[in-house]
């Protein structure tokens, strides 16, 4: 699951970079078939929910015969402080019995008077064998650092209060 989470970190960082200027993220699906050429698809639809549904279906069916894949979309989660914008990241590792982790990257939108901020990722659920969370967390940050522009934005706007 660590390789899949590292892969997901790159695309989570890409998504942070995209929303940092106020853009609503078009859902994206990225996958790696093991050929050394990861692919990313923007799931453009009339409504974001349609793109998300399409991405979830693609994750379930694994039509690309990927080793692992990640779906990232704009949504909300509820924290102790209330409802907040978040990038929802679903990570699938097909090599390990189709293990899955869902996490959220809460953020404060750029249009907020306090300006853009990104908060600590939150692991929401997993399916399959429970991963080594320390290794998964480390892999996530390794992946984030691999996306130069996304990592720069993430680090510049990181707010550890949430």
């Amino acid at each position: 699951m660590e390789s899949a989470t590292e892969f997901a970190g790159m695309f989570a960082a890409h998504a942070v970079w995209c929303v940092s200027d106020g853009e609503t993220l078009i859902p994206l699906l990225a996958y790696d078939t093991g050929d050394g050429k990861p692919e990313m698809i923007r799931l453009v639809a009339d409504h974001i929910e349609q793109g998300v549904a399409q991405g979830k279906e693609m994750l379930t069916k694994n039509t690309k015969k990927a080793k692992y894949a990640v779906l990232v979309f704009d949504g909300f989660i509820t924290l102790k402080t209330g409802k907040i914008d978040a990038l929802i990241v679903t990570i699938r590792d097909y090599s390990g019995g189709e293990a899955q982790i869902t996490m959220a990257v809460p953020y404060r939108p750029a249009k907020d008077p306090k300006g853009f901020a990104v908060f600590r990722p939150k692991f929401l659920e997993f399916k399959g064998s429970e991963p080594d969370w320390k290794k998964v967390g480390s892999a996530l940050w390794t992946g984030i650092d691999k996306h130069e522009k996304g990592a720069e934005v993430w680090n510049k706007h990181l707010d550890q209060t949430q």
Side-chain angles (χ1 to χ4, degrees):
M1 197 67 196
E2 291 88 18
S3 294
T5 304
E6 182 177 321
F7 181 76
M10 289 187 300
F11 291 96
H14 179 80
V16 164
W17 178 43
C18 290
V19 299
S20 68
D21 64 0
E23 170 185 337
T24 297
L25 183 73
I26 295 171
L28 63 89
L29 177 78
Y31 58 92
D32 188 327
T33 58
D35 64 0
K37 298 176 187 172
E39 300 275 339
M40 184 181 85
I41 303 167
R42 294 255 184 208
L43 303 166
V44 179
D46 290 336
H47 301 283
I48 288 178
E49 296 82 5
Q50 292 169 316
V52 171
Q54 180 185 3
K56 287 180 178 180
E57 183 177 342
M58 292 172 80
L59 276 181
T60 299
K61 292 183 177 180
N62 191 17
T63 55
K64 302 295 185 180
K65 305 294 184 230
K67 288 186 346 185
Y68 36 80
V70 59
L71 173 65
V72 185
F73 60 92
D74 220 333
F76 298 95
I77 62 167
T78 302
L79 302 175
K80 291 178 185 177
T81 56
K83 188 175 176 180
I84 187 169
D85 289 83
L87 297 168
I88 309 301
V89 182
T90 303
I91 307 161
R92 289 291 298 262
D93 184 344
Y94 302 103
S95 66
E98 298 190 11
Q100 179 174 303
I101 294 175
T102 302
M103 58 179 259
V105 180
Y107 70 94
R108 185 174 57 229
K111 66 183 178 205
D112 188 283
K114 294 180 185 176
F116 179 74
V118 61
F119 303 106
R120 291 180 298 213
K122 314 287 188 231
F123 290 105
L124 303 176
E125 69 176 358
F126 70 93
K127 295 178 183 173
S129 299
E130 185 165 6
D132 180 330
W133 291 108
K134 186 173 182 177
K135 288 180 181 178
V136 166
S138 179
L140 176 67
W141 290 107
T142 298
I144 290 166
D145 287 340
K146 286 184 175 183
H147 192 290
E148 187 177 323
K149 291 186 185 280
E152 181 181 326
V153 168
W154 197 311
N155 291 324
K156 180 179 179 182
H157 297 281
L158 181 61
D159 181 334
Q160 303 239 24
T161 62
Q162 298 275 349

